[in-house]
Amino acid sequence: MSGARRVLLTGATGFVGTHVIPALQARGFEVHALGRRPPAATVVFHPVDLLDAEAVQAAVGRVGAGHLLHLAWYAEPGLYWRSPVNLDWVAASLALVRAFREGGGARAVVAGTCAEYAWGPERLSEDANCVPATLYGAAKDATQRVLTAYARETGLSFAWGRLFFLYGPREKSGRLVSDAIRALSSGERFGTSPGHQRRDFSHVADVAGAFAALVDSAVEGAVNIGSGAAVPVRVILEQIGQLTGRPDLIDFGARRLAESEPASIEADVSRLREAVGFHPRYDLGSGLTDTFGAYSERQA
């Protein structure tokens, strides 16, 4: 296969990465994964420490890919928002994209976050103000700004996928949906806030499909990757309660919602739908059902 349909992928063993591999392969891409350990899927694997700029440059040069999808970042639940490790990933991301472009790469897509935005408006479009409130959000925002300027100077086709909230099979503990399913399925009480805050959640397979579609497009700049339909957290947990048969174990109001938490975080997904042409497979009901089913199968 020519380098034009060869894609360099980081974060291949991560939550989104494991789902994005088949999505890319379905579009005819030959996937080359960079990282410390190989993914379970059948890809061409290149072992490398992504924080080692020289090693990354050598690996990128050997692959000769025409496309890059950079998903890797520090994402330990509960820690990544404020960790200084975010600074390491700013440097690593800049070095990776530079090595890719200087090696002849033509199209790069990098994962951003809705935490770059100044939360508050009912719906967040890509031209909304970026005033991140956390180190994680600031690090992503800074990376996006530098890479946008670099792409403009070097002629690189560059897109930035701003990811909103997600859930799905094999999600790590420490996140809302996975923790609720595990607790309720085990007969444990699940303490939470009153749950009136609205959040934009997508099934991880849809997120992966959106990133694959973005890679396979010519769309440049920021693109929101979300469902476009925020719902109250309470509604999500009530549906999980019904799926597990234990809605009585959910303790709404057991925890106070931080005053800094906005009432709503919702993506305007017009660019994703109209420019990229991506439409999700799952709505909230079918997505949660699929996630619970996958959990139940692993426990059987």
Side-chain angles (χ1 to χ4, degrees):
M1 182 175 292
S2 70
R5 297 302 291 176
R6 188 174 297 157
V7 60
L8 195 63
L9 173 66
T10 72
T13 60
F15 188 35
V16 176
T18 56
H19 291 82
V20 87
I21 290 172
L24 288 167
Q25 291 172 333
R27 288 177 172 271
F29 284 104
E30 176 185 282
V31 180
H32 289 248
L34 291 185
R36 293 181 177 177
R37 56 190 178 91
T42 302
V43 300
V44 183
F45 176 61
H46 306 268
V48 67
D49 181 352
L50 292 171
L51 298 180
D52 184 338
E54 291 186 4
V56 167
Q57 183 176 25
V60 170
R62 288 194 297 271
V63 175
H67 293 72
L68 167 68
L69 176 55
H70 177 38
L71 300 175
W73 197 277
Y74 178 70
E76 190 64 31
L79 300 177
Y80 69 94
W81 292 105
R82 296 176 176 82
S83 175
V85 175
N86 283 294
L87 304 185
D88 298 332
W89 282 97
V90 173
S93 300
L94 300 181
L96 170 67
V97 174
R98 180 178 180 180
F100 170 73
R101 181 56 177 158
E102 291 181 351
R107 169 76 173 165
V109 175
V110 179
T113 170
C114 64
E116 298 166 49
Y117 289 120
W119 288 338
E122 272 299 299
R123 289 173 67 84
L124 294 163
S125 61
E126 289 85 356
D127 59 359
N129 289 333
C130 286
V131 187
T134 64
L135 178 55
Y136 169 69
K140 286 284 193 174
D141 179 53
T143 302
Q144 182 272 143
R145 292 174 187 270
V146 174
L147 289 179
T148 296
Y150 175 75
R152 185 168 54 245
E153 291 294 330
T154 62
L156 174 68
S157 175
F158 174 67
W160 182 262
R162 287 205 181 106
L163 180 59
F164 281 65
F165 301 90
L166 68 164
Y167 67 92
R170 300 188 181 279
E171 183 179 26
K172 283 185 177 181
S173 59
R175 300 182 184 274
L176 177 71
V177 172
S178 58
D179 282 1
I181 288 176
R182 290 187 185 99
L184 300 183
S185 296
S186 301
E188 301 172 7
R189 303 206 69 82
F190 187 77
T192 185
S193 72
H196 300 304
Q197 70 276 24
R198 297 170 63 250
R199 297 292 181 265
D200 190 320
F201 275 87
S202 297
H203 190 286
V204 66
D206 284 335
V207 169
F211 270 114
L214 187 55
V215 170
D216 203 18
S217 76
V219 175
E220 297 187 336
V223 177
N224 286 336
I225 296 182
S227 70
V231 298
V233 167
R234 189 181 191 97
V235 170
I236 297 172
L237 293 175
E238 287 173 342
Q239 291 195 31
I240 294 173
Q242 293 299 319
L243 287 167
T244 59
R246 297 308 307 267
D248 56 302
L249 295 178
I250 305 174
D251 293 330
F252 288 111
R255 298 180 182 176
R256 291 185 60 186
L257 187 66
E259 293 183 2
S260 59
E261 286 284 339
S264 177
I265 302 175
E266 183 176 65
D268 180 334
V269 293
S270 300
R271 289 203 82 205
L272 181 63
R273 301 286 189 269
E274 297 167 11
V276 180
F278 177 79
H279 297 274
R281 172 184 173 186
Y282 295 97
D283 59 16
L284 181 63
S286 61
L288 289 175
T289 298
D290 174 76
T291 303
F292 176 66
Y295 175 83
S296 299
E297 287 179 7
R298 294 200 306 274
Q299 302 307 305

Tab-separated table of all heavy atoms in Angstrom, residues 187-236:
chain	number	residue	atom	x	y	z
A	187	GLY	N	-24.413	-4.528	43.246
A	187	GLY	CA	-25.292	-4.322	44.379
A	187	GLY	C	-24.794	-3.282	45.358
A	187	GLY	O	-25.208	-3.262	46.525
A	188	GLU	N	-23.918	-2.392	44.892
A	188	GLU	CA	-23.370	-1.345	45.750
A	188	GLU	C	-24.122	-0.033	45.526
A	188	GLU	O	-24.595	0.248	44.429
A	188	GLU	CB	-21.883	-1.137	45.447
A	188	GLU	CG	-21.028	-2.379	45.640
A	188	GLU	CD	-19.615	-2.166	45.131
A	188	GLU	OE1	-19.286	-1.012	44.748
A	188	GLU	OE2	-18.847	-3.148	45.098
A	189	ARG	N	-24.199	0.766	46.553
A	189	ARG	CA	-24.829	2.079	46.426
A	189	ARG	C	-23.920	2.998	45.612
A	189	ARG	O	-22.699	2.901	45.685
A	189	ARG	CB	-25.133	2.683	47.792
A	189	ARG	CG	-26.011	1.798	48.672
A	189	ARG	CD	-26.784	2.607	49.666
A	189	ARG	NE	-27.812	3.437	49.033
A	189	ARG	CZ	-29.020	2.985	48.675
A	189	ARG	NH1	-29.357	1.722	48.885
A	189	ARG	NH2	-29.897	3.799	48.111
A	190	PHE	N	-24.538	3.899	44.845
A	190	PHE	CA	-23.787	4.831	44.008
A	190	PHE	C	-24.194	6.246	44.383
A	190	PHE	O	-25.276	6.715	44.038
A	190	PHE	CB	-24.062	4.568	42.520
A	190	PHE	CG	-23.199	5.371	41.590
A	190	PHE	CD1	-21.872	5.017	41.371
A	190	PHE	CD2	-23.697	6.500	40.950
A	190	PHE	CE1	-21.066	5.760	40.524
A	190	PHE	CE2	-22.905	7.248	40.101
A	190	PHE	CZ	-21.580	6.874	39.887
A	191	GLY	N	-23.317	6.919	45.121
A	191	GLY	CA	-23.587	8.286	45.525
A	191	GLY	C	-23.182	9.270	44.450
A	191	GLY	O	-22.107	9.150	43.863
A	192	THR	N	-24.034	10.236	44.185
A	192	THR	CA	-23.765	11.192	43.115
A	192	THR	C	-24.415	12.534	43.436
A	192	THR	O	-25.118	12.682	44.437
A	192	THR	CB	-24.287	10.637	41.771
A	192	THR	OG1	-23.919	11.520	40.713
A	192	THR	CG2	-25.799	10.458	41.798
A	193	SER	N	-24.182	13.496	42.592
A	193	SER	CA	-24.793	14.816	42.737
A	193	SER	C	-26.282	14.725	42.395
A	193	SER	O	-26.761	13.679	41.950
A	193	SER	CB	-24.112	15.802	41.795
A	193	SER	OG	-24.479	15.526	40.449
A	194	PRO	N	-27.029	15.813	42.566
A	194	PRO	CA	-28.446	15.770	42.141
A	194	PRO	C	-28.608	15.424	40.662
A	194	PRO	O	-29.666	14.939	40.242
A	194	PRO	CB	-28.951	17.180	42.461
A	194	PRO	CG	-28.092	17.619	43.606
A	194	PRO	CD	-26.728	17.046	43.320
A	195	GLY	N	-27.564	15.683	39.857
A	195	GLY	CA	-27.560	15.221	38.473
A	195	GLY	C	-28.297	16.086	37.482
A	195	GLY	O	-28.668	15.618	36.402
A	196	HIS	N	-28.484	17.355	37.804
A	196	HIS	CA	-29.227	18.219	36.881
A	196	HIS	C	-28.330	18.837	35.804
A	196	HIS	O	-28.834	19.385	34.819
A	196	HIS	CB	-29.923	19.330	37.656
A	196	HIS	CG	-30.905	18.814	38.675
A	196	HIS	ND1	-31.946	17.968	38.345
A	196	HIS	CD2	-30.989	19.008	40.018
A	196	HIS	CE1	-32.631	17.656	39.416
A	196	HIS	NE2	-32.077	18.268	40.457
A	197	GLN	N	-27.015	18.777	35.990
A	197	GLN	CA	-26.098	19.323	35.000
A	197	GLN	C	-26.169	18.519	33.705
A	197	GLN	O	-26.229	17.297	33.727
A	197	GLN	CB	-24.659	19.356	35.543
A	197	GLN	CG	-23.983	18.014	35.730
A	197	GLN	CD	-24.306	17.326	37.042
A	197	GLN	OE1	-25.337	17.583	37.636
A	197	GLN	NE2	-23.406	16.452	37.491
A	198	ARG	N	-26.199	19.214	32.583
A	198	ARG	CA	-26.352	18.571	31.272
A	198	ARG	C	-24.985	18.407	30.622
A	198	ARG	O	-24.186	19.336	30.588
A	198	ARG	CB	-27.275	19.397	30.375
A	198	ARG	CG	-28.694	19.515	30.911
A	198	ARG	CD	-29.522	20.531	30.134
A	198	ARG	NE	-29.685	20.151	28.734
A	198	ARG	CZ	-29.120	20.782	27.712
A	198	ARG	NH1	-28.344	21.847	27.929
A	198	ARG	NH2	-29.331	20.392	26.483
A	199	ARG	N	-24.717	17.208	30.117
A	199	ARG	CA	-23.434	16.908	29.500
A	199	ARG	C	-23.641	16.188	28.172
A	199	ARG	O	-24.585	15.429	27.991
A	199	ARG	CB	-22.571	16.037	30.427
A	199	ARG	CG	-22.193	16.705	31.748
A	199	ARG	CD	-21.249	17.869	31.528
A	199	ARG	NE	-20.843	18.508	32.775
A	199	ARG	CZ	-21.437	19.593	33.293
A	199	ARG	NH1	-22.478	20.152	32.662
A	199	ARG	NH2	-20.995	20.131	34.414
A	200	ASP	N	-22.713	16.418	27.251
A	200	ASP	CA	-22.758	15.854	25.904
A	200	ASP	C	-21.921	14.578	25.864
A	200	ASP	O	-20.693	14.627	25.810
A	200	ASP	CB	-22.225	16.888	24.912
A	200	ASP	CG	-22.448	16.497	23.464
A	200	ASP	OD1	-22.277	15.309	23.133
A	200	ASP	OD2	-22.792	17.392	22.664
A	201	PHE	N	-22.572	13.425	25.915
A	201	PHE	CA	-21.897	12.127	25.927
A	201	PHE	C	-22.076	11.412	24.589
A	201	PHE	O	-23.164	11.429	24.011
A	201	PHE	CB	-22.463	11.232	27.032
A	201	PHE	CG	-21.837	11.440	28.379
A	201	PHE	CD1	-22.319	12.415	29.234
A	201	PHE	CD2	-20.766	10.660	28.790
A	201	PHE	CE1	-21.752	12.612	30.486
A	201	PHE	CE2	-20.184	10.841	30.035
A	201	PHE	CZ	-20.676	11.814	30.893
A	202	SER	N	-21.010	10.741	24.132
A	202	SER	CA	-21.057	9.924	22.912
A	202	SER	C	-20.491	8.539	23.200
A	202	SER	O	-19.573	8.386	24.011
A	202	SER	CB	-20.226	10.558	21.791
A	202	SER	OG	-20.729	11.799	21.401
A	203	HIS	N	-21.015	7.552	22.505
A	203	HIS	CA	-20.460	6.198	22.563
A	203	HIS	C	-19.077	6.209	21.928
A	203	HIS	O	-18.854	6.854	20.893
A	203	HIS	CB	-21.384	5.231	21.824
A	203	HIS	CG	-21.052	3.794	22.000
A	203	HIS	ND1	-19.973	3.192	21.392
A	203	HIS	CD2	-21.670	2.803	22.722
A	203	HIS	CE1	-19.939	1.912	21.716
A	203	HIS	NE2	-20.961	1.651	22.530
A	204	VAL	N	-18.125	5.491	22.515
A	204	VAL	CA	-16.744	5.531	22.048
A	204	VAL	C	-16.605	5.061	20.604
A	204	VAL	O	-15.734	5.557	19.866
A	204	VAL	CB	-15.839	4.700	22.987
A	204	VAL	CG1	-16.194	3.212	22.923
A	204	VAL	CG2	-14.364	4.922	22.669
A	205	ALA	N	-17.460	4.144	20.148
A	205	ALA	CA	-17.380	3.709	18.750
A	205	ALA	C	-17.741	4.847	17.803
A	205	ALA	O	-17.176	4.958	16.702
A	205	ALA	CB	-18.285	2.505	18.517
A	206	ASP	N	-18.678	5.694	18.207
A	206	ASP	CA	-19.023	6.855	17.387
A	206	ASP	C	-17.894	7.884	17.395
A	206	ASP	O	-17.596	8.506	16.367
A	206	ASP	CB	-20.314	7.489	17.892
A	206	ASP	CG	-21.552	6.698	17.496
A	206	ASP	OD1	-21.491	5.973	16.482
A	206	ASP	OD2	-22.569	6.789	18.206
A	207	VAL	N	-17.270	8.066	18.541
A	207	VAL	CA	-16.122	8.974	18.622
A	207	VAL	C	-15.011	8.496	17.687
A	207	VAL	O	-14.423	9.280	16.937
A	207	VAL	CB	-15.610	9.068	20.073
A	207	VAL	CG1	-14.263	9.794	20.138
A	207	VAL	CG2	-16.634	9.767	20.955
A	208	ALA	N	-14.729	7.195	17.735
A	208	ALA	CA	-13.704	6.629	16.866
A	208	ALA	C	-14.073	6.802	15.398
A	208	ALA	O	-13.226	7.157	14.566
A	208	ALA	CB	-13.516	5.151	17.196
A	209	GLY	N	-15.336	6.563	15.073
A	209	GLY	CA	-15.782	6.739	13.698
A	209	GLY	C	-15.661	8.170	13.226
A	209	GLY	O	-15.317	8.438	12.066
A	210	ALA	N	-15.920	9.107	14.135
A	210	ALA	CA	-15.802	10.521	13.792
A	210	ALA	C	-14.351	10.896	13.510
A	210	ALA	O	-14.054	11.630	12.553
A	210	ALA	CB	-16.363	11.380	14.920
A	211	PHE	N	-13.435	10.403	14.331
A	211	PHE	CA	-12.015	10.691	14.091
A	211	PHE	C	-11.550	10.076	12.776
A	211	PHE	O	-10.799	10.709	12.018
A	211	PHE	CB	-11.161	10.169	15.248
A	211	PHE	CG	-10.951	11.167	16.348
A	211	PHE	CD1	-11.481	10.952	17.606
A	211	PHE	CD2	-10.218	12.321	16.135
A	211	PHE	CE1	-11.293	11.868	18.635
A	211	PHE	CE2	-10.018	13.253	17.148
A	211	PHE	CZ	-10.559	13.030	18.406
A	212	ALA	N	-11.984	8.854	12.478
A	212	ALA	CA	-11.595	8.221	11.221
A	212	ALA	C	-12.131	9.005	10.029
A	212	ALA	O	-11.432	9.193	9.018
A	212	ALA	CB	-12.102	6.778	11.186
A	213	ALA	N	-13.363	9.475	10.140
A	213	ALA	CA	-13.943	10.276	9.065
A	213	ALA	C	-13.193	11.586	8.892
A	213	ALA	O	-12.996	12.061	7.764
A	213	ALA	CB	-15.416	10.553	9.363
A	214	LEU	N	-12.764	12.185	9.985
A	214	LEU	CA	-12.024	13.444	9.921
A	214	LEU	C	-10.665	13.239	9.258
A	214	LEU	O	-10.237	14.051	8.427
A	214	LEU	CB	-11.857	14.019	11.329
A	214	LEU	CG	-11.240	15.413	11.455
A	214	LEU	CD1	-12.008	16.440	10.623
A	214	LEU	CD2	-11.188	15.835	12.923
A	215	VAL	N	-9.998	12.140	9.596
A	215	VAL	CA	-8.726	11.810	8.948
A	215	VAL	C	-8.917	11.667	7.445
A	215	VAL	O	-8.096	12.128	6.643
A	215	VAL	CB	-8.142	10.506	9.536
A	215	VAL	CG1	-6.958	10.015	8.703
A	215	VAL	CG2	-7.705	10.714	10.978
A	216	ASP	N	-10.022	11.053	7.060
A	216	ASP	CA	-10.284	10.736	5.655
A	216	ASP	C	-10.919	11.894	4.890
A	216	ASP	O	-11.349	11.724	3.759
A	216	ASP	CB	-11.195	9.511	5.578
A	216	ASP	CG	-11.080	8.769	4.257
A	216	ASP	OD1	-10.082	8.966	3.541
A	216	ASP	OD2	-11.998	7.983	3.948
A	217	SER	N	-11.001	13.049	5.523
A	217	SER	CA	-11.576	14.229	4.877
A	217	SER	C	-10.488	15.262	4.601
A	217	SER	O	-9.331	15.067	4.959
A	217	SER	CB	-12.653	14.850	5.790
A	217	SER	OG	-12.046	15.573	6.854
A	218	ALA	N	-10.899	16.360	3.997
A	218	ALA	CA	-9.978	17.476	3.764
A	218	ALA	C	-10.304	18.651	4.683
A	218	ALA	O	-9.741	19.736	4.533
A	218	ALA	CB	-10.055	17.914	2.305
A	219	VAL	N	-11.201	18.448	5.639
A	219	VAL	CA	-11.629	19.523	6.541
A	219	VAL	C	-10.472	19.940	7.442
A	219	VAL	O	-9.801	19.092	8.040
A	219	VAL	CB	-12.830	19.067	7.393
A	219	VAL	CG1	-13.204	20.130	8.418
A	219	VAL	CG2	-14.012	18.751	6.494
A	220	GLU	N	-10.266	21.241	7.553
A	220	GLU	CA	-9.180	21.762	8.379
A	220	GLU	C	-9.737	22.574	9.547
A	220	GLU	O	-10.890	23.022	9.533
A	220	GLU	CB	-8.236	22.615	7.536
A	220	GLU	CG	-7.542	21.822	6.438
A	220	GLU	CD	-6.478	22.625	5.699
A	220	GLU	OE1	-6.571	23.874	5.702
A	220	GLU	OE2	-5.563	22.012	5.143
A	221	GLY	N	-8.896	22.766	10.549
A	221	GLY	CA	-9.292	23.544	11.715
A	221	GLY	C	-9.981	22.698	12.761
A	221	GLY	O	-9.998	21.469	12.703
A	222	ALA	N	-10.589	23.370	13.737
A	222	ALA	CA	-11.245	22.674	14.840
A	222	ALA	C	-12.578	22.080	14.406
A	222	ALA	O	-13.328	22.684	13.644
A	222	ALA	CB	-11.454	23.638	16.003
A	223	VAL	N	-12.851	20.884	14.911
A	223	VAL	CA	-14.121	20.197	14.669
A	223	VAL	C	-14.576	19.571	15.986
A	223	VAL	O	-13.839	18.773	16.580
A	223	VAL	CB	-13.995	19.099	13.603
A	223	VAL	CG1	-15.320	18.366	13.438
A	223	VAL	CG2	-13.544	19.678	12.273
A	224	ASN	N	-15.746	19.929	16.448
A	224	ASN	CA	-16.280	19.321	17.660
A	224	ASN	C	-16.657	17.864	17.412
A	224	ASN	O	-17.310	17.549	16.416
A	224	ASN	CB	-17.531	20.068	18.139
A	224	ASN	CG	-17.215	21.402	18.774
A	224	ASN	OD1	-16.105	21.622	19.277
A	224	ASN	ND2	-18.180	22.300	18.776
A	225	ILE	N	-16.271	17.005	18.347
A	225	ILE	CA	-16.637	15.597	18.268
A	225	ILE	C	-17.483	15.268	19.493
A	225	ILE	O	-16.978	15.078	20.599
A	225	ILE	CB	-15.392	14.701	18.167
A	225	ILE	CG1	-14.665	15.012	16.855
A	225	ILE	CG2	-15.777	13.229	18.244
A	225	ILE	CD1	-13.453	14.168	16.592
A	226	GLY	N	-18.777	15.273	19.289
A	226	GLY	CA	-19.737	15.020	20.351
A	226	GLY	C	-21.042	14.555	19.743
A	226	GLY	O	-21.144	14.342	18.530
A	227	SER	N	-22.062	14.438	20.587
A	227	SER	CA	-23.369	14.000	20.103
A	227	SER	C	-24.232	15.159	19.624
A	227	SER	O	-25.138	14.982	18.818
A	227	SER	CB	-24.111	13.256	21.216
A	227	SER	OG	-24.508	14.163	22.237
A	228	GLY	N	-23.960	16.365	20.170
A	228	GLY	CA	-24.798	17.513	19.858
A	228	GLY	C	-26.085	17.551	20.656
A	228	GLY	O	-26.952	18.379	20.397
A	229	ALA	N	-26.201	16.631	21.625
A	229	ALA	CA	-27.437	16.557	22.420
A	229	ALA	C	-27.078	16.272	23.880
A	229	ALA	O	-27.028	15.110	24.298
A	229	ALA	CB	-28.357	15.474	21.883
A	230	ALA	N	-26.807	17.317	24.630
A	230	ALA	CA	-26.507	17.149	26.051
A	230	ALA	C	-27.760	16.730	26.810
A	230	ALA	O	-28.864	17.175	26.488
A	230	ALA	CB	-25.950	18.447	26.633
A	231	VAL	N	-27.586	15.865	27.790
A	231	VAL	CA	-28.705	15.421	28.622
A	231	VAL	C	-28.303	15.548	30.081
A	231	VAL	O	-27.112	15.533	30.415
A	231	VAL	CB	-29.094	13.955	28.321
A	231	VAL	CG1	-29.543	13.806	26.877
A	231	VAL	CG2	-27.933	13.019	28.614
A	232	PRO	N	-29.263	15.675	30.998
A	232	PRO	CA	-28.917	15.701	32.424
A	232	PRO	C	-28.222	14.411	32.845
A	232	PRO	O	-28.610	13.315	32.423
A	232	PRO	CB	-30.274	15.849	33.121
A	232	PRO	CG	-31.168	16.456	32.085
A	232	PRO	CD	-30.704	15.879	30.775
A	233	VAL	N	-27.186	14.541	33.652
A	233	VAL	CA	-26.490	13.367	34.172
A	233	VAL	C	-27.479	12.435	34.877
A	233	VAL	O	-27.350	11.208	34.837
A	233	VAL	CB	-25.366	13.806	35.117
A	233	VAL	CG1	-24.823	12.633	35.927
A	233	VAL	CG2	-24.232	14.456	34.316
A	234	ARG	N	-28.493	13.016	35.485
A	234	ARG	CA	-29.517	12.223	36.168
A	234	ARG	C	-30.197	11.249	35.207
A	234	ARG	O	-30.488	10.100	35.565
A	234	ARG	CB	-30.557	13.167	36.784
A	234	ARG	CG	-31.549	12.477	37.709
A	234	ARG	CD	-32.562	13.454	38.271
A	234	ARG	NE	-33.327	12.843	39.338
A	234	ARG	CZ	-33.065	12.972	40.630
A	234	ARG	NH1	-32.032	13.724	41.012
A	234	ARG	NH2	-33.812	12.372	41.534
A	235	VAL	N	-30.457	11.694	33.989
A	235	VAL	CA	-31.105	10.834	32.990
A	235	VAL	C	-30.199	9.656	32.635
A	235	VAL	O	-30.668	8.509	32.491
A	235	VAL	CB	-31.452	11.656	31.730
A	235	VAL	CG1	-31.890	10.740	30.593
A	235	VAL	CG2	-32.535	12.669	32.052
A	236	ILE	N	-28.909	9.919	32.480
A	236	ILE	CA	-27.956	8.845	32.165
A	236	ILE	C	-27.956	7.803	33.274
A	236	ILE	O	-28.052	6.590	33.015
A	236	ILE	CB	-26.546	9.423	31.972
A	236	ILE	CG1	-26.514	10.376	30.772
A	236	ILE	CG2	-25.517	8.307	31.795
A	236	ILE	CD1	-25.214	11.140	30.623
